């Protein structure tokens, strides 16, 4: 798992985040979670790349909990157990993509 925290004072827009993904050869998809929604533990046969656009996302990767905020990015390797959900009092918007493992 790789987490990158956004350090600049201005958070990128959803269009800018999608362009970042496209420039990496990824196909971005927008995903929205209503506040307090949760996705049960699961795994994928591909790497999952996710960047938060708005709100907060509480992620649990193999027992390690992380709180991601706007601009933060996580890369979850294929076949890694994970779950997540919107955190706080607002919806969470993310841009996600998948990459075949090497």
């Amino acid at each position: 798992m790789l987490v990158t925290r956004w350090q600049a004072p201005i958070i990128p827009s959803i269009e800018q985040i999608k362009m970042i993904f496209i420039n990496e050869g990824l196909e971005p998809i927008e995903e929205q979670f209503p506040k307090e929604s949760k996705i049960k533990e699961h795994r994928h046969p591909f790497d999952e790349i996710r960047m938060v656009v708005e709100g907060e996302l509480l992620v649990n990767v193999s027992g390690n909990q992380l709180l991601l905020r706007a601009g933060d990015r996580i890369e979850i390797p294929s076949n890694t157990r994970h779950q997540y959900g919107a955190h706080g009092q607002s919806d969470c918007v993310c841009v996600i993509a998948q990459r075949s493992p090497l």
Side-chain angles (χ1 to χ4, degrees):
M1 156 185 66
L2 176 64
V3 176
T4 306
R5 300 285 186 185
W6 191 259
Q7 299 297 318
I10 298 174
I11 305 298
S13 69
I14 193 164
E15 293 81 17
Q16 291 169 322
I17 292 172
K18 286 180 180 179
M19 287 305 300
I20 291 168
F21 278 47
I22 289 168
N23 287 336
E24 293 178 21
L26 302 170
E27 295 182 30
I29 299 169
E30 184 178 336
E31 192 171 69
Q32 183 166 357
F33 299 102
K35 66 179 180 178
E36 299 180 14
S37 64
K38 298 185 187 318
I39 303 298
K40 293 181 182 179
E41 185 174 82
H42 62 284
R43 60 179 82 203
H44 308 282
F46 51 81
D47 297 344
E48 179 179 316
I49 299 94
R50 177 178 298 276
M51 194 164 178
V52 177
V53 178
E54 297 174 15
E56 296 180 336
L57 188 71
L58 185 60
V59 181
N60 183 325
V61 180
S62 299
N64 297 305
Q65 288 201 15
L66 302 157
L67 182 61
L68 303 179
R69 294 183 174 93
D72 292 346
R73 174 178 169 144
I74 188 165
E75 297 186 31
I76 302 171
S78 64
N79 296 313
T80 301
R81 293 178 305 141
H82 61 285
Q83 63 187 37
Y84 42 81
H87 183 3
Q89 297 303 313
S90 62
D91 295 350
C92 181
V93 179
C94 297
V95 172
I96 65 166
Q98 46 185 276
R99 178 187 305 129
S100 296
L102 301 176

